[in-house]
């Protein structure tokens, strides 16, 4: 009897489970107010220069993984794709940066912008 039931209704059950699963991810985006696919922007500048760390145009999408060697220096951060310009740089109207001195260099800090994104900043350890 179970085999007959699965033969008749198995694909419908599988289809319903797939629809439910995909809807759960969409609902998570709606309830959290943000997308679930952040992008990583990498610092392309001198982490010992405070002006370069705070310059949003030095934070860009990179095709290679960042080399985060050194101590307490700017490295990379995760943002939403909507927080970037068309050229792949951090959009200063969405996220504005400042810098914080660590003793050996500078790390970024958010100080404004109209984006709701909570930054996931990765500094060199």
């Amino acid at each position: 009897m179970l085999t007959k039931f699965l033969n008749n209704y198995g694909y419908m059950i599988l289809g319903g489970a797939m629809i439910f699963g995909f809807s759960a991810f969409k609902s998570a985006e709606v309830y959290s107010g943000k997308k679930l696919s952040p992008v990583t922007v990498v610092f392309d500048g001198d982490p010992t220069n405070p002006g370069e760390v705070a310059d949003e145009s030095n934070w860009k999408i990179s095709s290679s993984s960042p080399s985060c060697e050194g101590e307490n220096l700017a490295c990379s951060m995760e943002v939403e794709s909507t927080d970037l310009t068309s050229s792949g740089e951090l959009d200063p109207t969405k996220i504005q940066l400042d810098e914080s001195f660590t003793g050996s260099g500078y790390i970024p800090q958010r100080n404004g912008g109209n984006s709701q994104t909570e930054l996931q900043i990765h500094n060199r350890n």
Side-chain angles (χ1 to χ4, degrees):
M1 176 143 172
L2 180 62
T3 305
K4 183 177 181 180
F5 176 80
L6 289 176
N7 284 339
N8 290 335
Y9 300 105
Y11 288 113
M12 290 187 340
I13 293 170
L14 179 61
M18 289 174 61
I19 290 170
F20 178 77
F22 292 135
S23 297
F25 285 112
K26 185 64 177 172
S27 297
E29 287 182 12
V30 170
Y31 291 126
S32 69
K34 62 181 183 176
K35 296 198 181 296
L36 299 177
S37 57
V39 295
T40 300
V41 290
V42 177
F43 178 63
D44 183 24
D46 180 2
T48 61
N49 182 329
E52 289 190 24
V53 172
D55 184 356
E56 292 83 7
S57 67
N58 285 331
W59 295 87
K60 308 171 186 174
I61 292 179
S62 174
S63 59
S64 61
S65 298
S67 172
C68 294
E69 295 179 18
E71 292 194 23
N72 296 317
L73 302 172
C75 184
S76 67
M77 68 177 83
E78 291 179 24
V79 299
E80 296 299 328
S81 59
T82 56
D83 297 326
L84 303 175
T85 64
S86 60
S87 61
E89 297 175 352
L90 201 56
D91 186 343
T93 63
K94 304 279 183 149
I95 296 176
Q96 296 170 349
L97 296 176
D98 201 357
E99 75 284 331
S100 178
F101 186 62
T102 63
S104 59
Y106 293 87
I107 57 174
Q109 287 185 200
R110 183 175 183 164
N111 74 349
N114 61 16
S115 173
Q116 299 299 316
T117 301
E118 292 183 31
L119 298 181
Q120 299 289 326
I121 299 173
H122 306 284
N123 297 315
R124 300 172 192 192
N125 296 322

